[in-house]
Amino acid sequence: MERYTAEQIQVITFGEHVRARPAMYFRVGKGSPELPTEVLQQVVWDALHHGDGAHGQISVEIESDLSFTVEDDQRRTADEQGRPLPGFFDSLLDKGRWAPAAAAALSVRTVVEVWLDGRGYRQELAGATPVGAWEEFGTFRLSGTRTTFHLDPSYCGPDEAIAWSLLPDELHGYECDALPSPVTIPIRDLRAETENSAGE
């Protein structure tokens, strides 16, 4: 029987694992032309489905072939001072939501905004690692998260791009039948300067 030694064990970071095996997170591997769309789809699925099984209100904006923003109404867990609890790598990325963290790992820049009871928190990331501390600002929003991802063009490849269409059956599973879902999901594709909605 072959035995492993401590020298043979390699410890890698979360970001390194996502980049080495993206299919474990996004169903397709590096080099697939579908990768940017699959990243978007997983982030949208995560935003739409709340932890209690309910469906939330979300919106999607596609800025370029490799950049997109997803906004949702999920409430972030707060500490005793009403501030968001630190997430992945002490960032604003919620520890309970792996898809945005994995998408950030494939991005050169990610901007996260979290709203909690009239207070906003903003942070920029390089990959999934914070560039700096959170910035606080005032907002009228009670709860939610808005995250913008700029996927790494050197990782995705020159011929890969986000497809604008996301069909309802791609965003739901069999367990979703028991709970109502928004009729449409607003998807604004700035590349074409047109608005489309999944399910319309």
Side-chain angles (χ1 to χ4, degrees):
M1 179 182 294
E2 184 178 357
R3 296 182 180 275
Y4 291 94
T5 65
E7 290 75 18
Q8 293 174 295
I9 299 175
Q10 182 182 10
V11 178
I12 63 175
T13 66
F14 171 76
E16 289 171 338
H17 190 268
V18 175
R19 285 177 166 259
R21 299 187 175 183
M24 293 184 64
Y25 301 86
F26 302 114
R27 301 192 296 188
V28 296
K30 181 179 180 181
S32 170
E34 298 177 0
L35 181 59
T37 304
E38 290 291 340
V39 173
L40 170 61
Q41 183 170 306
Q42 289 300 320
V43 173
V44 169
W45 192 98
D46 170 88
L48 179 63
H49 297 84
H50 288 204
D52 61 1
H55 294 107
Q57 296 293 324
I58 71 171
S59 64
V60 180
E61 193 169 85
I62 302 172
E63 290 88 9
S64 70
D65 286 343
L66 296 177
S67 299
F68 66 92
T69 298
V70 177
E71 184 176 314
D72 65 64
D73 62 353
Q74 294 195 41
R75 183 172 181 80
R76 182 67 175 270
T77 305
D79 62 16
E80 295 176 352
Q81 287 75 43
R83 293 166 52 87
L85 289 174
F88 282 91
F89 312 108
D90 292 326
S91 74
L92 283 175
L93 292 169
D94 193 337
K95 280 187 179 178
R97 303 173 61 182
W98 63 264
L106 297 186
S107 301
V108 291
R109 179 173 180 260
T110 301
V111 179
V112 188
E113 289 186 4
V114 173
W115 314 300
L116 266 174
D117 301 323
R119 287 192 290 179
Y121 305 88
R122 183 181 185 276
Q123 187 175 45
E124 183 173 333
L125 315 174
T129 305
V131 172
W134 309 346
E135 300 173 359
E136 188 171 340
F137 60 92
T139 178
F140 65 91
R141 297 173 182 266
L142 294 179
S143 63
T145 300
R146 177 182 171 91
T147 310
T148 299
F149 303 90
H150 300 274
L151 298 177
D152 187 349
S154 67
Y155 183 88
C156 293
D159 298 323
E160 299 175 24
I162 297 168
W164 71 264
S165 59
L166 292 174
L167 301 177
D169 58 351
E170 295 176 322
L171 298 175
H172 298 292
Y174 66 89
E175 68 277 6
C176 294
D177 295 338
L179 295 168
S181 173
V183 176
T184 61
I185 297 172
I187 301 177
R188 186 179 183 194
D189 189 345
L190 299 181
R191 296 170 300 180
E193 297 184 353
T194 60
E195 293 193 8
N196 302 283
S197 294
E200 289 185 337

